[in-house]
Amino acid sequence: MSFALLTSPQAEMLSVFVVAGVLLVGIPTAGIYRDASAHSPRPLAWTAAMAIAAAVVPLLGALGVWMLYTSVEVGR
């Protein structure tokens, strides 16, 4: 593999998509898994909901699931 392939526009775009995916989906998903594992009897359900919502609606989906999570789990 040549160095020119690594500096191509396609490689740059792929790296931007990976970084954006980690920031918009990975961090909120890991955060809710960490919190739900400590406080909820169903952490995988909350984690799956966060991953799907963050992937479908990047910023508002994660915020919506987090607000729903805190309203449901704080009430316990």
Side-chain angles (χ1 to χ4, degrees):
M1 180 166 20
S2 69
F3 183 70
L5 183 61
L6 295 176
T7 59
S8 69
Q10 292 86 4
E12 288 179 22
M13 201 59 151
L14 179 62
S15 64
V16 168
F17 281 137
V18 168
V19 169
V22 167
L23 290 175
L24 293 175
V25 177
I27 291 175
T29 302
I32 202 163
Y33 178 76
R34 179 176 167 258
D35 198 62
S37 292
H39 301 109
S40 175
R42 50 188 185 278
L44 291 179
W46 286 112
T47 304
M50 177 63 84
I52 292 168
V56 173
V57 184
L59 293 176
L60 297 177
L63 288 174
V65 171
W66 190 262
M67 288 189 292
L68 179 66
Y69 167 76
T70 53
S71 68
V72 169
E73 294 300 327
V74 170
R76 290 178 184 229

